[in-house]
Amino acid sequence: MAVGNDSSITEFILVGFTDLTQLQLPLFLLFLMNYMVTVVGNLSLINLIYLNVHLHTPMYFFIFNLSFIDLCHSLIITPKLLMSFVSENTISFEGCMAQLFFFCFFVHSECYVLTAMAYDRYVAICKPLWYTVTMSPQVCSLLMFGSYAMGFAGAMVHTGDMVRLSFCDSSIINHYMCDIFPLLQLSCSLTDASELVDSIVVSTVVIISSFIIFVSYALILSNILHISSAQGWSKAFSTCGSHIITVALFYGSGLFTHLKTSSDGSIGQQKFLSVFYTNIVPMLNPLIYSLRNKDVRLAVKKTLKRVAN
């Protein structure tokens, strides 16, 4: 433990999963495989969308950004997690705050990107004749700028709130990353105000994004019920299916982790639950949007043909 002249912690130790001594090798291999699949999957989807003109549509513009966020999310979390299996995983106070900032930034941004995608699906199904005008490149860019700006604002609040706390006792974080709740439990300052601020920020993000997604799909469902043909039903569900699965996985795992931690205060339990939305969801998203999507499968075939020729 490194301690400065003002008796404040300057370095943390990320415990990760080192307490599971008999599972070190299997866990290392699992997380390494997860990391490789996540990076390759998201990079492949980003390249496919960039290289294939028929994928230059609003829906794939949002998927492109979703894959970018998932890729960055994985890059800031998993390497430090893997390091904990091979050596004592230390991180400076500044590095810890930087990781916390980018973690919050990408999580918040993903919430708003998924919200923008729900609105895009609503316009595509309920107002198809106005789709090109409503979801113009300018509007899509504005929605993405707003998503990243809101993500930045939320991350600044979380990180600024954490920086003002004092850490003067233990330097051991019982987690594989610098997350809000483990750091709050580690602080020797009064954390009531910080916990309130963090809860307000998280609740605001979840309520706003969930409300817009819910209203969008309520209007979509209402529109679908008026479709008489089976083909129309099938097209509507195939258009929304991947997004619904992604939203359910991301929000479900995130909310369950947050509520479970808030209710019993178990950091050990949160550590396992967090793996789902920090590691599993970013790995699954490119698979969901490729395996279920005929446009992406067609882009894969075209790209492979170009490479072969």
Side-chain angles (χ1 to χ4, degrees):
M1 177 176 73
V3 182
N5 294 331
D6 58 351
S7 299
S8 61
I9 302 286
T10 59
E11 192 176 74
F12 294 107
I13 299 172
L14 294 169
V15 172
F17 295 97
T18 53
D19 51 328
L20 303 172
T21 53
Q22 295 181 332
L23 297 174
Q24 292 299 285
L25 182 59
L27 284 174
F28 174 78
L29 293 174
L30 278 174
F31 283 118
L32 180 61
M33 186 179 298
N34 163 267
Y35 183 57
M36 292 171 65
V37 172
T38 302
V39 171
V40 171
N42 284 290
L43 272 178
S44 298
L45 192 54
I46 287 169
N47 282 320
L48 276 176
I49 295 171
Y50 178 76
L51 295 171
N52 290 271
V53 179
H54 75 280
L55 296 182
H56 293 180
T57 63
M59 183 176 80
Y60 290 103
F61 173 74
F62 294 125
I63 293 174
F64 179 96
N65 281 277
L66 184 66
S67 287
F68 172 74
I69 289 170
D70 285 337
L71 175 64
C72 294
H73 197 162
S74 181
L75 290 174
I76 63 167
I77 299 295
T78 314
K80 291 297 290 181
L81 169 58
L82 291 171
M83 282 179 62
S84 66
F85 290 104
V86 295
S87 63
E88 186 177 71
N89 193 12
T90 59
I91 185 171
S92 66
F93 178 82
E94 293 79 9
C96 186
M97 293 303 106
Q99 188 187 56
L100 174 66
F101 172 81
F102 284 111
F103 168 68
C104 293
F105 171 66
F106 289 120
V107 168
H108 285 214
S109 296
E110 184 155 349
C111 286
Y112 291 116
V113 171
L114 290 172
T115 305
M117 291 173 75
Y119 176 70
D120 172 70
R121 293 302 82 208
Y122 155 72
V123 177
I125 293 173
C126 299
K127 310 225 178 245
L129 298 177
W130 290 93
Y131 183 70
T132 306
V133 176
T134 306
M135 300 306 294
S136 65
Q138 293 80 6
V139 171
C140 292
S141 298
L142 191 61
L143 286 171
M144 279 313 311
F145 176 79
S147 298
Y148 287 123
M150 294 290 283
F152 179 82
M156 283 296 291
V157 172
H158 284 305
T159 310
D161 201 40
M162 201 63 64
V163 166
R164 72 177 187 79
L165 299 178
S166 297
F167 298 90
C168 52
D169 189 7
S170 174
S171 65
I172 299 173
I173 301 176
N174 186 20
H175 211 293
Y176 56 86
M177 64 177 180
C178 294
D179 201 359
I180 295 169
F181 289 107
L183 286 169
L184 285 175
Q185 290 202 349
L186 204 63
S187 174
C188 52
S189 304
L190 289 174
T191 61
D192 292 347
S194 298
E195 289 176 13
L196 178 62
V197 169
D198 291 328
S199 296
I200 290 172
V201 172
V202 171
S203 299
T204 302
V205 174
V206 171
I207 290 170
I208 291 174
S209 56
S210 298
F211 176 75
I212 295 172
I213 291 171
F214 176 79
V215 170
S216 297
Y217 275 105
L219 294 171
I220 288 171
L221 181 61
S222 175
N223 187 271
I224 289 174
L225 293 175
H226 291 89
I227 299 175
S228 56
S229 68
Q231 186 179 3
W233 275 66
S234 176
K235 185 177 180 180
F237 280 117
S238 65
T239 302
C240 300
S242 298
H243 182 255
I244 292 172
I245 294 171
T246 303
V247 168
L249 287 172
F250 182 77
Y251 279 87
S253 59
L255 282 174
F256 184 73
T257 302
H258 182 74
L259 292 173
K260 194 72 177 174
T261 305
S262 300
S263 63
D264 59 21
S266 172
I267 293 298
Q269 221 173 13
Q270 188 212 14
K271 190 163 57 174
F272 286 97
L273 293 171
S274 297
V275 168
F276 200 83
Y277 73 90
T278 61
N279 296 78
I280 305 300
V281 172
M283 180 186 71
L284 291 178
N285 280 347
L287 298 175
I288 292 168
Y289 281 105
S290 57
L291 296 177
R292 289 182 51 86
N293 197 306
K294 64 179 182 180
D295 290 330
V296 174
R297 293 198 299 269
L298 179 62
V300 171
K301 290 178 183 178
K302 286 184 176 180
T303 304
L304 290 176
K305 277 186 181 179
R306 284 202 296 265
V307 172
N309 295 332

